[in-house]
Structures are given as C-alpha cells and as structure tokens.
Amino acid sequence: MFRTNAFALRNSGTPELWNSGTPELRNFGTSELRNFLPTIRPMADPVQLLAERFRAAIDRTFPQAAGADPLITPCKSPEIGDFQSNAAMGLGKRVGKNPREVAAALVQAVDLAGLAEPLTDKSIAGPGFINIRLRPAALRDALSAMDTAGLGIETPADRRTVVVDLMGVNLAKQMHVGHLRSPVIGDCLARTFERLGHAVIRQNHVGDWGLPIAMVTRRIADQAARGVISLDSLTLDDLDAAYKTAQAECERDIAGLEAVKRYGLGPKALAELEEQVNGATESFTAARQTLVKLQAKDPAVYRVWQRIYDVTMKVCLDVCAALHVNCTAEANAGESSYADELAPMVDDLVARGVAVPDQGALIVRVDAPDKAADGTPMWEPIKEPCLVRKSDGGFLYATTDICAVRRRVQKLGAHEIVYAIDARQNLHIRQFAAAAIKAGYAIHPKTGRPARIAHAAFGAVLGEDGRPFKTRSGESVKLADLIAEMFARAANAVQTRSPELAGDDARRVAEAVGIAALKYGDLSTDRVKDYMFGFDRLLSFEGNTGPYLLYAFVRIRSIFRKAAERGVGDGWKAAPFACDLPAEKNLALALLRYPGAVRGVADTLEPHRLCQYLYDLAGVFSTFFDQCPVLAAETPAQRDGRLRLCDLAGRVLADGLGVLGIPTVERM
RNA sequence: GUCCCGGUAGCUCAGUUGGAUAGAGCAGCCGCCUUCUAAGCGGCAGGUCGGGCGUUCGAAUCGCCCCCGGGACGCCA
C-alpha cells in the first residue's frame, strides 16, 4: 500500500496543542521525522493480513459461504496463541457441518506462509477456535511497517468534515464541575477525528441569548446606571449573582397565590403573594423589553450584553487553556449568532409544511419518519413533536439547534455532527435532529445523504458519597477552583516524590500530572455513566490513572537520556525489533493494536477504549521494563532491538495521550 | 403513565459484531530496589455478572417479564 504520510504527519505531531511548555518533548516529537520517507510499505496490521489469508481459504473450501468474516481477534492469553479465528463455529452452522470439521478443513486450506507458524490439528481448540502464532519475522515486519510518523494510522479514503459541539457554557453563569465533561470529552473526540485525518470544526454553542440573558442584561444595566457596579470591573461571580437574582425576580409564584386563595390562608399571606406576583410580572415585562432592544441591537443594551459576553468567555477560554482543551474564540458560535436566521427559517418550515400549527404553537412532527430512497426510515420515530415556535411567537432552543444543524451541514459542509452534551438532553437532541432531517437541512449538499448526527452523551459528575459533586456546605464548586486544587495537589505530590525538580520544571510536571489526572479520570470510564470524582483517587498515581501513563512514558524517556549519557549511538534506529522473549513479544503485539484503538474511538465516540488500550500498553511496557534490561542487555544487538521497541512504545504512548488531550513530560 | 440510561469482586471500573477459566486498580496478605525513575513488577485471596424464563454448540453480551437506582417527557434554555 502506498503511503504518503504527509497528512498524518501534520496531524500527529501538533506539538503546540499538547506539548506546550514541554520543549524537551517537542524535540522528541520532531525526531519522528527521521522515519518520514514516501516508501511503499507492507500493510502493518496482522489482523488484516491473517483475515485475507483466511478469507481466501474460506472462499475456496466453502464457496457457499464465500465472503464470510474470518473473525480474527487477538488471543486473550499469550499461552493460547497470538491471534485466533472464530469463524468455524458460525460457518459450521451455515454449511451444515460440525464446527470442528470446518476448523480442520480451514486449517488444511489456509496458507499462512511467511506470516505465521503452520497450523496443525493441535491449533484447533474447544468448539472450533483456530489459534495462530505469528512468526517473529512477521512480527518484526509489522512493527517496521508501523514505525513511521503516522504510527500505522492511514490517511482516510473518505476525508470527512466533522463538527464537534462542545463546552456548553451559558452567559453569566459560573462554571462548575458540570461544565467539565463536555470540553474534555468533546475535545478528545475532536482530536481523534483530527488524528485520523478528518477535518474538524469545533463549535461552542454558547447559551448567550433569550429571555434569561435579557433578564441579567437588564439587571446589570440597571445596577450600572445606578452606580452599584462598574461594567469595567465586572466579574463572573457578579454576573452569576445577578443571574440568580434576576431569575428569582421574574419567578411568579402563581401556584402559591392560587393555593392561598383556594385554602383561604388569610389576607396577609394573600397580600404578600399578590405583591410578589405583581413585582415579578413587572420584572418579566421589563426583561421582555430588554430582549426586544437586544434583538434590535440597541447600542446601550447591546454594550452591556457584550460586556457580559466577554467576561463569561474570558473565564471559559481560560479554563480551556488551563486544561489543554483546544477550544478557542474561533469556536464561538453562540445562540445569538442564529438569532436573525430563526424567523426566516421557521417561515420556510411552515411554507413547506414541515412545521404545522398545534394549540397555537408551531411544531414539527417526528413520529412518522420519512423514508430514504432505499426504503429505510431516516430517523427513529419519536412520539413527542419538536416545538419550534411558542404561541406567543417566541422561538425555543430547539429552533436554534435546528438552525445550527442547517448552518453546519449546508455552510460548513459537515458530514457528521457530534454533540458532547449531557445525557439528559438525549430526547431533545433526537427531536431537533429528526426535525432537521425532515426539513432537509441535514442533507449534505455534496453527498446528498443525511449527515450523521450523533450524541456523545455523558453522565453526571458525582462526589465520593455517590451524590452530585458539591462542597460540604452544599454549594457547587467553581471549575477554576477545582482545577487550581488539582494542580496544587499534583504539585504537592510531585514535590514529595521528586524533590529534585524545581521552578518551572516542577510547575510543568505538576500541570501535566494534574491535567492527566483530571482528564483521564473523566475519559477512562464509559462516558454515558455517571462518574465519581475524587482528588485522591485520580491523583493516587496507582493503577488505571493518567499519572500512571505519564510515568510509563517518563521511564521510556529516561532510558534514552541514560543511553545518550553512556554514549550509545543511534544505530538502534535501523536495528531489528526485539520480540523474542514473552515480555518483548507482548509489548510488540500491543503496539500493533494502536491504530485500531484510535479508530475504535471514532467509530463509537467512546474515548475510554483508547484509555483502556493505553493502560494495557503501559502495563505490558512496565513488565518489559522490569524483565528486560535495555542498556544492560546481553548483547549490543539485543540492546538495539530493545531500544527500537522502547522508542516505538514511547511514541505510541505520547501520541495516544495527545489524542486524549493530555500533555506529556520528559521526567516526573 | 410513556420513553431513555444504568445495575459485574468490599470499593471504583473494564469486558469488542454472542466465544475458551468474567478481567484491572484500590483496600487486604506475601515476595522483589548496589542494575535504565519501586508513582513499578510478580504472586495469593476475593464473583448466584440485579432476579427469572427463553434463543444457541456457547449468553455479562441477544429476546421477553419482573426488581432496584438515575434521568427525560410541546410553549424555560
């Protein structure tokens, strides 16, 4: 297969994104260039090679089942073999034969010359598993083939444009733990698509519009006019307080009023509630007027809104920068940016009969999906209709979301839109996605097919008591404070374990460790489940944690530092990979699984698959590190073969951590 | 009420389109640092995979029915 790698190279390094502040690593990254040569190389993946051979054998032996999947997977345990084919069982059913007979026939027919040890009857186990042992030379070839800048990840045949919707901040609301997962997960998915060679557009769908925002704007404008606050020194805490007060002011206790009337709770209670309701109605009316002014871009009101926007976004983008989340002002595409498009869009929906009146409002019914040309339904039926205009003429968040789909597909050319959003929004997302498809807005202008609209749903962040993460007094924790505490704890741990690190070095290490702990904790479990947050566990540095992976990487880098100190040349770069001993072989086999692991994340939108892979890799490396001395190897040839294996392992680890959005360090 | 998502070791979690004896980490116990970072490695112990029925050569995984927990359900965003 012909590889040019130029694209993979551009997307694999991106040191400015995940290595900033670690200049040593940048050198490490660019050292990959030495392997960059546009050469013809054999396909690396043994699974694919074995599958080809088995497919040929199946076609020849059982023509009636030609094309059947050979079902090649890595063996669970190294004692059994390296890879196995599970095809015989299913095949037995299809051709009406005993699975073991089928396996025996396949063992006879398959030609594994140059790839694996010859198969015998003893290769068949249980109901018909066929166990395969790779030849060391084939393993070395496979490793050599992936030992390029792209680390075995091929440039995609179909380069897609993927929009990733991440962040989910609201104007004038303090960021708390609840805002952690969307940027962490969304950025990781974005990096995954980028790494695979797709075009990624990040979108920060800021909640910056609508009546609630108008309420705050009015209150802030009011306070500024009265000199209670200064717009110049506004903080997000001020805004958060104003938001809550404004919300409460406009909250009419109509239910309370009716209860008082019904149960006759006395004139005093009645008077109080009437006053509350009247006051709230007044505030509500004022907020509506502010909204109208805002929509008309009234300079005085708009200036206040802009200030609120800037203050909020500053905090948001600072958090992103601190966490190495690649989301900048470029990604901003708030609800306000759709405001002028909503009325014409809804008119279009009405004109084409997509939206219909119902109880005074406008809805899009999505319970009976349209059929595609091939007869398949274009979305899953949903009983609840999607509301696009209220009976008072106002638009809803679904309207904006439909509008966003339209822009993303029609203008930005998205083949795929991924929403990194709270699991509770699932129904809403399915509704507006269905409505957008029904309206034709989700049909890609070039391909003519609907864009894939996917919800990367995630659960809540819980405290160690299993309840939503809060302070002891029950308040939500500011995200910036949480990050600061994680960094402080990381710094403390680094100081304890590595007192020789000081100054900027120590700070950088603490930062990397803190980010690793925080992000890996979030990414390493199935995202749809709630996850339990605990500083101690995430920073424990033991077991399946971010710091453990960093540590594995650091130990590899240490070998190369020592090698340089001892005057070991770079002859190892052309040495055959060491993969004779079990620990070497296990490491080699694990390395080969890397491209599949990254693809798996893109296919399922599940970052924890890559985490699991990297943890496995770090584990087999640690065993190797323990059992196979590199610099003190028995022969120079063995040393060089191990050095090359370590180099590849280090690059895969750093690359994988980069996909997760975790920066690496040279020592810790 | 309808729908969605969970339930796996004492705790926190993995478990590939159904595959071999259900795996890690923490906590507990036992070993291993004059040698490349012990934030590590090796070992022991720990399981009615919420319950039941079914499909199959084979079920944590698929189907049906229950139980428990969380969440969402047109005029907030």
Side-chain angles (χ1 to χ4, degrees):
Chain A
M1 177 160 287
F2 194 68
R3 303 164 53 93
T4 65
N5 274 329
F7 188 74
L9 185 70
R10 190 166 48 193
N11 284 283
S12 65
T14 54
E16 71 280 7
L17 297 185
W18 47 277
N19 289 333
S20 67
T22 52
E24 305 141 303
L25 192 80
R26 197 165 293 140
N27 296 334
F28 179 72
T30 51
S31 77
E32 293 175 8
L33 283 168
R34 72 191 159 70
N35 282 311
F36 174 58
L37 283 172
T39 51
I40 296 165
R41 292 177 179 281
M43 203 192 290
D45 190 357
V47 172
Q48 286 182 40
L49 295 173
L50 289 167
E52 277 170 26
R53 307 284 184 99
F54 269 83
R55 200 170 288 122
I58 290 168
D59 291 357
R60 235 178 304 130
T61 319
F62 302 103
Q64 65 272 49
D69 191 336
L71 297 168
I72 308 288
T73 61
C75 286
K76 258 187 193 166
S77 140
E79 296 89 59
I80 297 171
D82 301 332
F83 296 94
Q84 65 187 70
S85 164
N86 297 337
M89 285 80 79
L91 226 44
K93 184 131 210 154
R94 275 175 72 174
V95 304
K97 280 193 171 171
N98 179 322
R100 281 197 74 104
E101 279 176 42
V102 173
L106 286 179
V107 162
Q108 280 294 319
V110 73
D111 175 18
L112 297 180
L115 192 56
E117 305 297 345
L119 299 178
T120 67
D121 286 349
K122 276 188 267 180
S123 308
I124 305 170
F129 303 109
I130 302 172
N131 295 319
I132 306 151
R133 234 168 252 288
L134 231 47
R135 297 182 59 178
L139 193 50
R140 276 190 281 271
D141 287 348
L143 287 172
S144 298
M146 84 170 276
D147 188 8
T148 63
L151 296 171
I153 295 174
E154 314 269 340
T155 305
D158 61 324
R159 185 170 189 253
R160 305 196 301 276
T161 296
V162 183
V163 165
V164 179
D165 189 306
L166 75 174
M167 282 308 300
V169 286
N170 291 298
L171 241 53
K173 274 189 180 169
Q174 189 53 264
M175 292 185 78
H176 53 86
V177 245
H179 294 100
L180 188 60
R181 302 202 73 184
S182 178
V184 170
I185 293 168
D187 185 43
C188 170
L189 294 174
R191 286 168 189 262
T192 304
F193 286 108
E194 281 167 345
R195 180 64 182 85
L196 291 172
H198 299 293
V200 171
I201 302 169
R202 290 168 172 78
Q203 295 266 275
N204 187 352
H205 194 80
V206 188
D208 61 1
W209 208 242
L211 198 57
I213 305 300
M215 290 176 188
V216 201
T217 307
R218 177 192 150 263
R219 186 171 170 85
I220 294 292
D222 200 48
Q223 286 181 313
R226 287 189 288 121
V228 180
I229 54 164
S230 153
L231 283 183
D232 296 331
S233 60
L234 215 51
T235 67
L236 188 50
D237 280 327
D238 296 336
L239 295 176
D240 194 60
Y243 189 97
K244 284 173 182 151
T245 319
Q247 200 81 6
E249 271 180 3
C250 295
E251 190 75 38
R252 284 174 292 184
D253 194 359
I254 289 169
L257 184 62
E258 279 176 3
V260 169
K261 281 180 182 167
R262 189 178 318 140
Y263 300 112
L265 295 178
K268 195 180 166 202
L270 186 66
E272 274 175 10
L273 274 161
E274 273 176 348
E275 192 188 329
Q276 193 279 332
V277 167
N278 290 339
T281 306
E282 204 174 293
S283 302
F284 200 80
T285 308
R288 289 210 69 99
Q289 285 164 353
T290 306
L291 183 60
V292 171
K293 284 183 185 168
L294 203 49
Q295 283 166 339
K297 300 243 162 67
D298 175 282
V301 176
Y302 194 78
R303 197 173 68 88
V304 176
W305 176 85
Q306 187 66 52
R307 182 72 193 134
I308 295 172
Y309 187 93
D310 292 343
V311 169
T312 308
M313 288 313 296
K314 171 84 166 67
V315 172
C316 172
L317 297 181
D318 283 353
V319 162
C320 287
L323 288 179
H324 270 63
V325 165
N326 182 15
C327 181
T328 59
E330 263 177 57
N332 286 4
E335 294 175 340
S336 61
S337 74
Y338 299 98
D340 296 339
E341 301 172 27
L342 299 184
M345 185 188 79
V346 171
D347 288 347
D348 177 53
L349 292 175
V350 172
R352 290 162 46 225
V354 177
V356 293
D358 189 86
Q359 298 169 41
L362 272 178
I363 62 169
V364 178
R365 291 192 208 284
V366 288
D367 53 344
D370 294 341
K371 300 267 169 52
D374 62 0
T376 56
M378 296 179 77
W379 67 86
E380 288 297 311
I382 304 161
K383 206 165 58 182
E384 296 85 353
C386 184
L387 219 67
V388 294
R389 195 173 72 194
K390 298 189 284 182
S391 48
D392 68 0
F395 301 116
L396 298 101
Y397 72 148
T399 324
T400 308
D401 277 313
I402 294 170
C403 201
V405 172
R406 184 174 70 164
R407 182 191 293 172
R408 290 165 180 184
V409 177
Q410 305 305 322
K411 286 219 174 103
L412 305 180
H415 300 91
E416 189 163 343
I417 308 175
V418 175
Y419 292 90
I421 297 182
D422 193 324
R424 287 174 300 184
Q425 304 272 356
N426 184 261
L427 175 61
H428 168 242
I429 290 170
R430 280 162 43 224
Q431 280 178 310
F432 76 69
I437 295 169
K438 184 169 183 174
Y441 298 157
I443 306 299
H444 193 276
K446 292 227 174 83
T447 67
R449 290 199 301 266
R452 176 192 180 202
I453 298 177
H455 182 198
F458 53 81
V461 180
L462 305 178
E464 280 169 303
D465 56 358
R467 301 212 308 247
F469 189 82
K470 295 274 168 67
T471 60
R472 227 172 284 158
S473 55
E475 289 157 21
S476 62
V477 182
K478 269 204 260 181
L479 190 50
D481 291 349
L482 181 133
I483 293 166
E485 177 162 2
M486 187 57 98
F487 283 177
R489 285 175 183 245
N492 188 31
V494 169
Q495 179 61 39
T496 309
R497 309 216 185 225
S498 307
E500 74 281 4
L501 286 174
D504 277 358
D505 286 341
R507 190 186 51 76
R508 274 200 294 271
V509 171
E511 220 174 273
V513 167
I515 291 170
L518 205 57
K519 284 184 161 178
Y520 194 84
D522 196 320
L523 295 170
S524 61
T525 63
D526 189 355
R527 60 167 164 59
V528 83
K529 297 185 188 175
D530 295 347
Y531 99 94
M532 207 167 273
F533 184 94
F535 287 107
D536 291 336
R537 194 160 46 78
L538 297 181
L539 269 169
S540 75
F541 303 156
E542 280 161 15
N544 194 4
T545 66
Y548 171 79
L549 298 187
L550 283 184
Y551 180 63
F553 178 75
V554 160
R555 295 212 287 181
I556 294 173
R557 299 306 304 143
S558 178
I559 294 172
F560 286 92
R561 266 200 311 277
K562 287 284 192 312
E565 284 169 16
R566 296 179 197 183
V568 175
D570 61 1
W572 58 266
K573 291 180 181 176
F577 283 96
C579 38
D580 299 312
L581 299 177
E584 296 168 335
K585 191 173 172 183
N586 289 339
L587 178 53
L589 287 169
L591 288 168
L592 293 174
R593 284 166 36 220
Y594 179 59
V598 178
R599 278 195 301 270
V601 175
D603 293 345
T604 61
L605 308 178
E606 291 175 351
H608 80 279
R609 289 166 183 266
L610 180 57
C611 294
Q612 193 66 43
Y613 167 79
L614 291 172
Y615 180 58
D616 288 347
L617 178 64
V620 293
F621 173 77
S622 293
T623 303
F624 164 86
F625 185 87
D626 204 56
Q627 296 179 2
C628 303
V630 177
L631 299 177
E634 288 169 26
T635 65
Q638 188 181 54
R639 180 199 64 199
D640 287 353
R642 286 178 178 173
L643 275 169
R644 195 167 173 205
L645 199 55
C646 288
D647 173 67
L648 189 56
R651 282 157 54 213
V652 168
L653 263 177
D655 197 72
L657 285 167
V659 172
L660 296 179
I662 296 172
T664 50
V665 285
E666 285 290 293
R667 56 189 97 212
M668 63 189 275

